[in-house]
Amino acid sequence: MSIHELTIIITLLMLFCVFASRYLTYFGVPILVFFIGIGMILGSEGIFGIHFDNPFLTREIGNIALCFIIFSGGMDLRWRSAKPIISSGLLLSTVSVFLTAFLVGVVTSFILGIPLLYGLLLGAIVSSTDAAAVFSVFRTQKSRLKSKVASLLEFESGSNDPMAYMLTITMLGIITNPQDSVLNYILLFVKQFGFGAIIGIALGFITVQMLNRMRLSVEGMYLIVGISLLLFTYSIASLIGGNGFLAVYIAGFIIGNTSFIQKTRFVHFFEVQSWIAQIILFVTLGLQVFPSQLVPVMISGIIISLILIFIIRPIAVMPILSLFKIPIKEQLFVSLVGFRGAASIVFATYPLTVGLPFAHEIFNMVFFIALTSVLFQGINLKPLAKHLGVIEKEDDKPIMQTFSQYMDELSDMPILGVYVLSDSPAIGKRISELGLPHHIRIVAIKQADHYVAPKGQTLINAGDRMLLTSLEDDNLNEVCEKFKFES
């Protein structure tokens, strides 16, 4: 088969998945599952029999793809929505992940009859969640989770991959180097999270400053700067012993919550790159899988998946959420939609790359757990959300969402969503009295629970939500600082 014939086959399969997703995701099956299927169809035991058994390449492709996915997730998380749930979200992304890893490890060791350390390794690998599938299902079905629930899931899933990564490499270290002391692993945790956080914060602010100070004649160059600094952040953090995934998540969060030139185009671009990364990642993971090896783990995999979904996840989540007096129905929903996703399957390649005993069994088990988790929980997601009452009504949807949800016709202009702070000098003034630069426009205003068409006589109140745009390359951040608008 020539490269041209293979390319035609692959592109036709991908187009089929994209078009089929319009109908099948309505039933709760995320589109990325189809791309795993493409990989399996093309792979060693598939119809086209392309031999692929390279865990090293799969791991590296997975790591780079996760960088784009995690970075985009960080940019999508708004500080204003994350602030009320920051404490509960941090506990979910650390303590809950640890509890999940431990409990899954004990159960897996018992069911599979493997040493406890190997069971704990598998538990660490599947300890993080992936909300991308959750939100893709709801977007397809034109529904939206209540803001607090959505923010909690988004924050948890975006920030718990670094913890799962740390637990995975720690368990690998304990198994391969049992002579190392506990103190070494404690120091490793501190170094990974400390250096990762420092690099992420520093390069996040540096990226914003660079984008604001540059005056590039070609707009596409801003996107190249973004990609370069993203990969540099991950690589430099990993090189000095920090957690590269944590670094890119923090950098993305800072960038997404700061004003800079071409921000709308920038965020749109990385949302697209995140989807491309997910497609490449899932096709590669599908290629790495040998379907015949999944058959022996089916029964045990189903049992572990059900225990993880209905027992372990609620045990690891609900006590934490109870501390913050979150309603029981919201607790149940968050605990029952902890999808296992791409990160888990990528981390499952790590034991393969070091030639660990039981490595293939662990990889196949993780792959099966992740796949059944997404399918089972995805199909039941919408009915569960309706039953527990965590879906917003149409008229409750706020005017400001993430930048990737802004109108396409304005995508070539810088747009900023802001809140009017209580000490803003704009309060009590009409728009015509503000003295805004003539290039700045207020596109929309939401006051209290109703929308207002901005006119010269419109009064500004504390707490108003507005969309600002600039007809030229004015720095919207300067306007926000002057009038105390919070983005």
Side-chain angles (χ1 to χ4, degrees), residues 61-119:
I61 291 175
N63 287 340
I64 298 301
L66 282 178
C67 282
F68 282 88
I69 297 167
I70 293 172
F71 181 74
S72 180
M75 284 198 297
D76 281 344
L77 184 63
R78 315 311 303 154
W79 169 243
R80 190 176 184 88
S81 62
K83 190 175 180 180
I85 52 88
I86 190 75
S87 298
S88 55
L90 285 173
L91 287 177
L92 286 181
S93 62
T94 53
V95 176
S96 177
V97 171
F98 181 85
L99 285 174
T100 300
F102 176 75
L103 294 173
V104 172
V106 173
V107 169
T108 299
S109 175
F110 175 78
I111 292 177
L112 299 184
I114 60 177
L116 179 60
L117 287 179
Y118 290 90

Side-chain angles (χ1 to χ4, degrees), residues 5-47:
E5 293 172 325
L6 182 60
T7 301
I8 290 172
I9 291 170
I10 294 174
T11 52
L12 288 176
L13 285 172
M14 287 190 172
L15 287 172
F16 170 77
C17 288
V18 171
F19 290 123
S21 68
R22 178 180 178 183
Y23 303 100
L24 296 179
T25 49
Y26 182 81
F27 298 100
V29 182
I31 182 175
L32 295 175
V33 172
F34 297 111
F35 291 105
I36 286 182
I38 287 179
M40 297 173 72
I41 290 172
L42 295 173
S44 302
E45 296 182 352
I47 297 173

Side-chain angles (χ1 to χ4, degrees), residues 14 24 34 45-47 55 57 83 106 111 123 126 132 146-147 159 162 245 266 298 389 439 454 465:
M14 287 190 172
L24 296 179
F34 297 111
E45 296 182 352
I47 297 173
L57 180 59
K83 190 175 180 180
V106 173
I111 292 177
V126 299
K146 287 186 175 179
S147 58
S159 59
F245 296 126
F266 192 88
M298 283 183 62
H439 299 305
R465 291 181 283 182

Side-chain angles (χ1 to χ4, degrees), residues 356-374:
L356 209 64
F358 304 106
H360 284 90
E361 289 85 348
I362 289 174
F363 178 83
N364 293 326
M365 180 62 72
V366 170
F367 185 90
F368 190 84
I369 290 173
L371 196 59
T372 54
S373 168
V374 170

